[in-house]
Amino acid sequence: VAPSGGQFTLLEAADNSGTVLDGHVLFVRAGTYAEEVDLSKDLTIVGESGARVQASANNAAAIRVRGGAIVILQGLEVRHTGNNHAAVELDVGANVTIVDCTLGPTEQFGIESAAGATVVVRRSLVTGNADGGADLAGNVTVENCVLIGNGSGGSAFGGARLRSAATFRFTTVVDNFGAVGVLCDVNATVTSSILFGNAGPEASANCATATSHVEGAGGAADPLFLTDGYHLGTGSPVLDQSSLAGCPVEDFDGQARPMGAGCEPGADERP
């Protein structure tokens, strides 16, 4: 898929084509693809640096994955300027893995998954989404992600809403707006993460955050992020503060974990 010179100029056209079959890989060249993509096939979609889906319609997500489809999204930037829909939406029965993507800005959510969906989000940036970063139900895994600058004064949450007992680990939730940083509708564990600088409480009562670095909990100190707001500085008090047990093999940037006596909580492992 490419703005010119490829087999297709739009992702939607590729998904609708009879020559693209379940199990195929779509490689997406750099460029802005002004469309709403409705995926019903089992596909792996790999974007090179600069590949962006830019939606604008009020009646559709930028990327929607239908029930029964198994989809991998890698290396894409997904934005939406219309109202009422997310950057990526999963129907009941959809199975989606999102890696190395940027979700947002949008006027709604970076990602929204229905109950009965399966979603895995790794090493992705969720930012600039007006109603909140991620509204997640179903079978959910979030790991090594950064949720920053989401939500607004009237939104129910800023960073993430967990509507099921998700796996939420080694993720940085920082500087979001809304009523609460992470909203857990059910009992859920937020493991080895950083929750700091969010406008409301960092987490709701149903979120178990004992292994995380949470502002206001136990005198947790400022993580001392760099100017981008989520990479850790050399003097950060969170360095090596998470157990090696369960530590992911890499961080948000794809760098190896651990690099010291322990792992860093949150998405970034400081070199």
Side-chain angles (χ1 to χ4, degrees):
V1 182
S4 62
Q7 289 178 276
F8 305 97
T9 57
L10 294 172
L11 278 74
E12 178 72 4
D15 184 69
N16 290 337
S17 171
T19 62
V20 174
L21 305 176
D22 285 340
H24 278 183
V25 179
L26 299 179
F27 294 98
V28 185
R29 293 291 189 189
T32 297
Y33 299 84
E35 59 174 324
E36 291 77 39
V37 185
D38 196 326
L39 299 174
S40 57
K41 294 177 180 175
D42 297 350
L43 297 174
T44 296
I45 301 175
V46 181
E48 69 178 17
S49 179
R52 174 190 297 172
V53 176
Q54 177 72 65
S56 60
N58 290 334
N59 61 350
I63 298 177
R64 178 183 181 182
V65 182
R66 297 282 184 168
I70 302 173
V71 172
I72 298 172
L73 303 175
Q74 182 174 339
L76 294 174
E77 181 180 348
V78 188
R79 298 184 175 193
H80 204 322
T81 58
N83 298 320
N84 307 319
H85 285 277
V88 178
E89 289 183 5
L90 281 67
D91 287 2
V92 175
N95 187 320
V96 178
T97 299
I98 299 171
V99 183
D100 292 331
C101 289
T102 298
L103 306 181
T106 73
E107 294 301 311
Q108 201 203 44
F109 308 120
I111 180 170
E112 183 178 19
S113 61
T118 297
V119 58
V120 176
V121 190
R122 290 194 171 100
R123 301 202 320 268
S124 292
L125 174 65
V126 183
T127 186
N129 300 286
D131 286 347
D135 192 343
L136 302 171
N139 184 3
V140 174
T141 298
V142 178
E143 182 180 86
N144 281 330
C145 291
V146 175
L147 286 70
I148 184 171
N150 300 286
S152 61
S155 56
F157 66 95
R161 184 172 191 170
L162 306 179
R163 297 178 182 265
S164 59
T167 297
F168 193 96
R169 60 197 301 266
F170 291 93
T171 288
T172 298
V173 183
V174 61
D175 292 341
N176 296 284
F177 304 95
V180 63
V182 178
L183 174 60
C184 298
D185 287 11
V186 299
N187 292 334
T189 301
V190 177
T191 304
S192 298
S193 295
I194 298 175
L195 282 63
F196 213 88
N198 297 292
E202 299 299 322
S204 67
N206 286 333
C207 301
T209 60
T211 63
S212 293
H213 189 86
V214 181
E215 184 176 13
D222 188 326
L224 300 180
F225 294 116
L226 299 179
T227 54
D228 62 12
Y230 53 88
H231 282 98
L232 298 170
T234 55
S236 173
V238 306
L239 301 186
D240 296 337
Q241 293 304 300
S242 286
S243 170
L244 292 175
C247 181
V249 297
E250 58 188 2
D251 74 349
F252 174 80
D253 300 303
Q255 296 176 322
R257 288 186 186 260
M259 295 187 184
C263 274
E264 275 78 274
D268 180 43
E269 188 78 2
R270 175 73 191 179

